[in-house]
Amino acid sequence: MVAPAFTLMFLLLLGPLLGVIALSFTDYQLGSPSFSWIGLANYRDMFGDRVFWLSLRNTLTYVAIVVPAAVALGLAVALLIESGSSLRSWYRTIYFLPVMATLIAMSIVWEFMLHPQFGLINGLLQGVGLEGFSWLQDRRTALYALCVIGIWQALGFNMVLFLAGLVSIPRQLYDAAEIDGAHGAWARFRLVTWPMLGPTTVFVVVITGIRSFQVFDTVHVLTKGGPSKSSEVLIHTMYVEGFEFFRSGYGAALTVVFLVFVLLLTLVKSALTNRGVHYT
Amino acid sequence: MTPRHRTVVWSVARHLLLLCGAAFILLPFLWMISTASKPQTEIFSKSIHFIPHSFALWDNLATAFGKANLWRFLLNGVVVTASIFVLQVLIALPAAYALAKLRFAGREVLFALVLFCILIPPQATAIPVFLLFHQIGILDSYAALIVPFTISAFGIFLMRQFFKTVPDDLIEAARMDGISEFGIVWRVMLPTAIPALTAFGIFSVVAHWNDYFWPLIVLNSEHLRTPPLGVAAFRNEEAGTNYGPLMAAAIVIIAPLVVAFLLAQRRFIEGITLTGIK
Amino acid sequence: MARIELNGVRKTFDSAEILKGIDLAIEDGEFIALIGPSGCGKSTLLRIIAGLEPQSAGEVHIDGVPVDGVRPSARNLAMVFQSYALYPHLTVFDNIAVPLRMRRHSALARMPVVGRLLPERSRVERGIREDVERVAAQLELSALLRRKPGQLSGGQRQRVAVGRAIVREPVGFLFDEPLSNLDAKLRVHMRAELAQLHRQLKATFVYVTHDQAEAMTMSSRIAVMIEGDIVQIGTPAEVYENPGDIRVAEFVGSPKINVLPGLVRADGGLEVLGRPLGLQTSAPAGRCSICVRPERVEPGAGSGAISGTVAHLENLGAEAFVHVKVDRIDLPLVARVNPDRQLPTIGSAIDFAFPASAVRVFDAAGKRIEVVAPVRSERVREKALG
């Protein structure tokens, strides 16, 4: 009964996972008849490569911008929606739309909105007397433009998770806080909402982090990592090396670096969870 | 300020803030629809206006369908997402049932493996799976698009958690009635699991309809393109010129899921946020 | 200490009227229980007194001062919730300290980092520590101060909730079904503890419960609420012995009071099951309900009053209940008997009677009818039973 599932699991998940690690110690290239074990040479190349460091730095910048912004905005929107009763489901629907919409299609829309001459954004900026940018073609702005799209897309997902967290806070706790003298929105938030949202927040931060590390679609369609590598990110570098240059071994080494970061985030999550952010 | 005034002020502030955010969220959608409805001359004009002076949506749609094989992309999307989901269920359900309800040696180890596999991001296995498919010669085919996702560790986990809540009595009654173990999975467990399965189905379909990374890697042929790949290719071919039809194509690609979402919001939000229960 | 007065308090949700004009004066230092079936509005009334919910109409006065628009915490009432509503992320100490910190620290001193820099903060904290430890000692929580609510038993959580309530010395306490999450044994124990606490604090207690046993055992007065109205207020004995309404009679007392179909004859005489009861009333003729508490039913009372068959027996050890099926009555009659006596066997025929003084009569609308026994009542009764 478990045989098909676990055969496929070994074949398509666990095997390839080990495979990618093994591959990172080889010089295998797609199509070449043989390969040899070259130890840490791929990693040595990688650490000596300016593009890798750029890519890593850009990815970390992307994560460092998107995670706090998408989490804070998601929380803020959830709190605002939950603080009143009118139009709740309308707002929820609107904010959730980007999660549903195919990101590639919406990236193309964003690209047009960010168009230097005919784009909506620059048009609006000119309307208020500001100079626009060639957002995606300018090395100063390309990565940040991608961040904005990333936040735009992740916000609604986080909002929904926070809404679920908010709903599960027992109402009697707010009553107790009121009786105990916690007046005002801030005191209630500090005494009840924020601590009770602890587990949700940890989860939202980690999942947004992991997703941000995986950023690829927007980069590939909009900038291809450019201009001059200013928006190059890990998975895109891995894609280029592994599937455009077919340097499978080197691509595998990049994958391993990516895996390490994802693993770190997961560890952070379980560490925080075990430290008792979960209550009974 | 009296409390009543305060509530009114707060309510106005709440709507103002939320509407500002909503404007940011909706802007691309509105601009997409607006542009798709404008003729070429209006698109490349300096003035910003959302309502087109002359309505050209049908022309743009016709051009989009004429230049790119959108029907084919949509069909491919349906074939791929449906096959993936059906295979995921066929493979995950028996495993989930066994992990939830049967006692056998190594069950805990296997379950731990499932939990571990949930954590493996799809990008991590891309290179070896690609090499494997290259080796057996199934690149650039439906199989290449479908096979890697037939195993969903998350699906197994989810259904296992659900099956845990099904009373043992039900299964024992089925065994007393002489139903085989596989019969129990399909005839007893499956019907009870419809709500969980619906949520998982939405999760799976949305993820794979929108997936770009993997189809990009394994596909070459135009006729196999999935919707995201199709619209991206259309954009590359029409780079920077034909924005009207391009936006019309984007509408066509996102429409199926967005419309389904608007019709069954609660279910979709449930499905997509499933990952929230991990 | 506090006298709480409610005048014409109404509450409507949408179009449903939850409270239909409640007048209630709760005396200083009193232990009053609000009881009634679920949905009768008793919890809503408590929340209105607390200030957690505004009333739709009417006034609440505490010590003669109207408190409409006064914040819950400023009303100086404490509340103990059904779920205890302890802050799960705070230790027992911090839970009890919350109301003190909210009161004694300025908003600035409560800020996460800045607060610690303020000089007066540590002085205030010392005072808080003393008070929390005093209350913890009183409630035997001293050993648990470092624990979190998740690590406590139900009874301990209950005591922490009480501790959080008493630490700021409020003028009154509001309890919202505080024992309903405890198991039966603990509930009996906590009943005694709460009654003891009331004697100690001498504060006003308002106690909401659906469990009439809690109300009977702890309170000095009971207000019975049914469908948004207070139907009767009185001491436990009054409410039990002299219910003014059949719904009160049926709600108070376990097992439930026996209800028999009766008749007021044109001449004012009362009948049950076609037999004269030997009681007179001035109420108009018509159908009525004859109610008798199970402990006043005397089974096997000689020369057959009302006859039936034994349908069921419940022997609880200290007492036993005989369920008797009587013709023309849907529900079996329940009689309490001493299990020392030979219990009848199920299915056997049984006769029973009850003294005229045990009978409570209600008219068709459920209102109490006063009855008198004529002078030669005993003879009439004997005749009736004979």
Side-chain angles (χ1 to χ4, degrees):
Chain A
M1 207 161 267
V2 294
F6 282 90
T7 311
L8 285 170
M9 215 151 97
F10 279 104
L11 217 59
L12 294 168
L13 295 172
L14 293 168
L17 187 70
L18 295 175
V20 86
I21 295 168
L23 212 53
S24 74
F25 300 110
T26 72
D27 64 353
Y28 185 73
Q29 302 211 356
L30 186 71
S32 67
S34 67
F35 66 90
S36 47
W37 296 96
I38 54 168
L40 292 171
N42 281 327
Y43 292 93
R44 221 172 294 128
D45 284 357
M46 192 165 71
F47 293 136
D49 184 1
R50 195 184 62 93
V51 175
F52 166 73
W53 290 110
L54 266 177
S55 174
L56 185 61
R57 202 186 67 189
N58 288 338
T59 310
L60 291 173
T61 309
Y62 183 88
V63 171
I65 291 173
V66 172
V67 172
V71 172
L73 288 173
L75 176 61
V77 171
L79 287 170
L80 279 172
I81 290 181
E82 196 58 25
S83 73
S85 53
S86 56
L87 297 180
R88 270 189 196 192
S89 63
W90 276 91
Y91 286 128
R92 203 186 51 180
T93 306
I94 291 172
Y95 283 93
F96 199 70
L97 265 182
V99 184
M100 297 303 307
T102 308
L103 184 56
I104 287 300
M106 295 317 292
S107 302
I108 293 168
V109 178
W110 273 103
E111 180 182 37
F112 181 50
M113 284 182 25
L114 295 168
H115 193 285
Q117 280 117 46
F118 309 108
L120 177 64
I121 305 297
N122 279 357
L124 290 174
L125 286 176
Q126 269 153 27
V128 294
L130 286 172
E131 187 75 27
F133 283 90
S134 303
W135 301 99
L136 294 168
Q137 290 79 37
D138 189 324
R139 48 182 308 174
R140 288 170 299 171
T141 53
L143 185 64
Y144 302 106
L146 294 176
C147 286
V148 171
I149 304 177
I151 294 165
W152 173 82
Q153 214 246 343
L155 194 166
F157 183 77
N158 293 349
M159 166 205 73
V160 166
L161 293 180
F162 278 124
L163 276 178
L166 284 174
V167 170
S168 66
I169 300 177
R171 298 249 66 86
Q172 287 198 335
L173 277 183
Y174 287 105
D175 290 343
E178 187 71 52
I179 298 262
D180 287 344
H183 306 318
W186 173 246
R188 273 199 304 276
F189 180 78
R190 280 266 306 152
L191 184 61
V192 180
T193 314
W194 180 246
M196 294 304 287
L197 278 183
T200 310
T201 311
V202 168
F203 177 76
V204 170
V205 166
V206 169
I207 194 134
T208 315
I210 292 178
R211 285 173 179 217
S212 303
F213 265 105
Q214 295 172 332
V215 61
F216 173 79
D217 294 13
T218 48
V219 178
H220 185 254
V221 174
L222 299 182
T223 67
K224 295 247 189 292
S228 43
K229 303 288 173 205
S230 62
S231 63
E232 185 69 42
V233 292
L234 268 183
I235 293 293
H236 189 257
T237 317
M238 183 270 266
Y239 170 80
V240 170
E241 295 291 344
F243 299 103
E244 284 186 354
F245 302 149
F246 296 114
R247 295 170 60 192
S248 308
Y250 189 69
L254 284 162
T255 309
V256 170
V257 172
F258 162 75
L259 268 174
V260 167
F261 278 102
V262 172
L263 192 72
L264 272 179
L265 274 172
T266 315
L267 287 179
V268 167
K269 179 184 167 220
S270 45
L272 279 177
T273 313
N274 293 341
R275 228 192 56 196
V277 206
H278 266 296
Y279 319 113
T280 42
Chain B
M1 264 198 310
T2 67
R4 181 148 306 172
H5 280 131
R6 240 196 334 251
T7 8
V8 171
V9 168
W10 171 240
S11 168
V12 170
R14 167 179 179 259
H15 284 299
L16 267 180
L17 288 167
L18 284 172
L19 284 173
C20 284
F24 167 64
I25 296 293
L26 286 180
L27 199 60
F29 293 98
L30 297 175
W31 196 240
M32 170 178 72
I33 295 167
S34 165
T35 308
S37 310
K38 288 174 183 170
Q40 189 86 332
T41 47
E42 277 186 58
I43 292 172
F44 291 108
S45 83
K46 280 272 174 188
S47 77
I48 297 173
H49 55 285
F50 275 87
I51 311 288
H53 300 312
S54 53
F55 187 74
L57 178 60
W58 309 127
D59 298 340
N60 284 329
L61 275 172
T63 318
F65 274 99
K67 290 203 172 190
N69 201 349
L70 290 183
W71 287 121
R72 181 70 204 219
F73 302 156
L74 292 175
L75 178 71
N76 288 340
V78 172
V79 169
V80 170
T81 49
S83 314
I84 288 176
F85 176 58
V86 169
L87 288 169
Q88 280 177 336
V89 171
L90 285 177
I91 289 161
L93 236 47
Y97 168 68
L99 289 176
K101 292 294 183 190
L102 303 182
R103 270 165 230 259
F104 55 91
R107 184 176 78 163
E108 297 312 311
V109 179
L110 288 185
F111 185 58
L113 271 181
V114 170
L115 290 179
F116 177 75
C117 282
I118 293 175
L119 300 175
I120 303 175
Q123 294 88 347
T125 51
I127 293 177
V129 173
F130 178 84
L131 296 180
L132 177 71
F133 284 13
H134 174 74
Q135 205 55 234
I136 56 179
I138 59 163
L139 286 177
D140 201 25
S141 68
Y142 277 134
L145 291 173
I146 295 165
V147 171
F149 306 108
T150 51
I151 177 72
S152 168
F154 180 63
I156 296 177
F157 168 77
L158 187 75
M159 297 319 293
R160 181 251 186 201
Q161 298 306 86
F162 185 84
F163 287 161
K164 275 263 170 200
T165 66
V166 175
D168 285 338
D169 295 355
L170 188 65
I171 294 155
E172 266 146 31
R175 284 192 192 129
M176 299 291 283
D177 292 342
I179 304 178
S180 72
E181 289 300 308
F182 273 102
I184 290 176
V185 174
W186 304 118
R187 285 162 58 193
V188 180
M189 301 304 268
L190 180 66
T192 67
I194 293 296
L197 217 53
T198 314
F200 176 64
I202 290 170
F203 171 82
S204 163
V205 166
V206 170
H208 296 113
W209 180 275
N210 291 340
D211 187 26
Y212 179 64
F213 184 73
W214 185 249
L216 178 72
I217 290 171
V218 294
L219 285 191
N220 247 331
S221 317
E222 196 200 325
H223 70 277
L224 290 175
R225 280 176 193 157
T226 57
L229 218 56
V231 74
F234 184 34
R235 168 210 169 252
N236 291 340
E237 287 149 21
E238 300 292 325
T241 52
N242 247 337
Y243 280 109
L246 186 56
M247 293 298 130
I251 292 179
V252 172
I253 297 305
I254 68 165
L257 286 188
V258 169
V259 169
F261 163 62
L262 293 178
L263 290 178
Q265 293 172 39
R266 202 165 280 280
R267 290 209 171 279
F268 268 76
I269 291 179
E270 252 171 45
I272 303 303
T273 50
L274 268 187
T275 44
I277 64 162
K278 267 195 267 180
Chain C
M1 298 293 121
R3 186 184 140 84
I4 301 169
E5 217 178 321
L6 309 176
N7 295 323
V9 170
R10 287 173 187 281
K11 180 75 185 178
T12 45
F13 280 120
D14 298 325
S15 59
E17 205 170 23
I18 308 295
L19 296 175
K20 301 172 180 166
I22 301 285
D23 296 303
L24 178 63
I26 300 166
E27 300 302 329
D28 185 13
E30 183 176 23
F31 192 138
I32 191 166
L34 299 176
I35 66 168
S38 60
C40 70
K42 54 194 190 299
S43 287
T44 308
L45 188 62
L46 195 73
R47 291 172 59 83
I48 287 174
I49 297 174
L52 291 171
E53 238 166 80
Q55 64 270 34
S56 309
E59 286 172 334
V60 179
H61 294 256
I62 296 175
D63 284 334
V65 185
V67 292
D68 307 304
V70 175
R71 282 194 160 281
S73 54
R75 296 185 182 195
N76 207 8
L77 301 171
M79 187 153 169
V80 176
F81 294 87
Q82 181 172 6
S83 65
Y84 319 131
L86 301 178
Y87 306 109
H89 58 289
L90 298 181
T91 60
V92 169
F93 179 93
D94 289 328
N95 261 289
I96 299 178
V98 164
L100 298 182
R101 289 194 171 129
M102 288 295 164
R103 236 150 264 259
R104 296 183 192 171
H105 284 312
S106 63
L108 191 62
R110 291 203 308 266
M111 292 298 266
V113 184
V114 194
R116 302 201 176 273
L117 304 175
L118 296 179
E120 86 270 12
R121 191 179 184 280
S122 59
R123 185 179 49 77
V124 176
E125 270 297 307
R126 253 198 312 281
I128 291 173
R129 171 165 297 278
E130 277 168 24
D131 287 354
V132 172
E133 277 167 357
R134 180 175 45 75
V135 166
Q138 186 184 346
L139 294 169
E140 293 166 30
L141 289 169
S142 300
L144 306 173
L145 284 175
R146 293 279 140 241
R147 301 240 189 120
K148 297 222 170 139
Q151 300 161 295
L152 302 180
S153 69
Q156 290 167 335
R157 284 183 215 187
Q158 167 73 50
R159 283 214 294 274
V160 177
V162 170
R164 185 174 63 176
I166 63 178
V167 71
R168 63 186 162 98
E169 296 167 353
V171 294
F173 290 85
L174 310 175
F175 294 88
D176 188 4
E177 312 234 6
L179 304 185
S180 59
N181 283 353
L182 301 177
D183 62 48
K185 226 178 215 165
L186 201 51
R187 205 148 51 209
V188 173
H189 174 71
M190 288 307 291
R191 279 202 314 234
E193 274 195 23
L194 283 179
Q196 167 66 22
L197 189 72
H198 177 245
R199 283 192 290 274
Q200 225 176 66
L201 297 172
K202 299 183 178 67
T204 313
F205 275 37
V206 186
Y207 189 101
V208 161
T209 178
H210 66 274
D211 181 346
Q212 49 94 27
E214 281 175 24
M216 298 290 287
T217 50
M218 290 190 287
S219 59
S220 46
R221 276 201 306 164
I222 292 179
V224 185
M225 287 184 69
I226 286 164
E227 287 169 9
D229 262 324
I230 292 185
V231 185
Q232 188 171 3
I233 308 178
T235 63
E238 271 165 25
V239 171
Y240 187 80
E241 284 298 327
N242 274 315
D245 189 295
I246 192 164
R247 294 170 298 179
V248 176
E250 289 192 285
F251 187 76
V252 177
S254 174
K256 232 169 88 173
I257 198 164
N258 293 302
V259 182
L260 301 152
L263 190 69
V264 180
R265 287 190 315 238
D267 65 0
L270 283 163
E271 278 182 7
V272 61
L273 296 170
R275 295 157 192 265
L277 264 176
L279 289 167
Q280 289 286 325
T281 177
S282 54
R287 289 175 180 284
C288 65
S289 302
I290 309 292
C291 297
V292 185
R293 297 261 174 221
E295 68 270 20
R296 305 295 295 273
V297 177
E298 293 157 10
S303 46
I306 298 175
S307 314
T309 46
V310 177
H312 181 57
L313 285 172
E314 290 175 312
N315 189 347
L316 301 179
E319 54 188 359
F321 295 101
V322 183
H323 295 237
V324 183
K325 178 77 187 101
V326 179
D327 276 350
R328 288 182 289 161
I329 305 179
D330 294 340
L331 288 174
L333 258 94
V334 179
R336 193 184 75 178
V337 296
N338 188 338
D340 298 344
R341 277 171 44 177
Q342 178 81 49
L343 289 173
T345 51
I346 290 178
S348 63
I350 188 170
D351 295 338
F352 59 88
F354 33 80
S357 64
V359 172
R360 305 288 176 268
V361 186
F362 302 88
D363 67 15
K367 291 281 158 262
R368 178 75 178 274
I369 301 175
E370 284 312 318
V371 293
V372 287
V375 192
R376 288 174 299 121
S377 64
E378 277 313 297
R379 274 191 54 197
V380 175
R381 175 173 169 256
E382 274 160 28
K383 214 162 90 190
L385 298 177

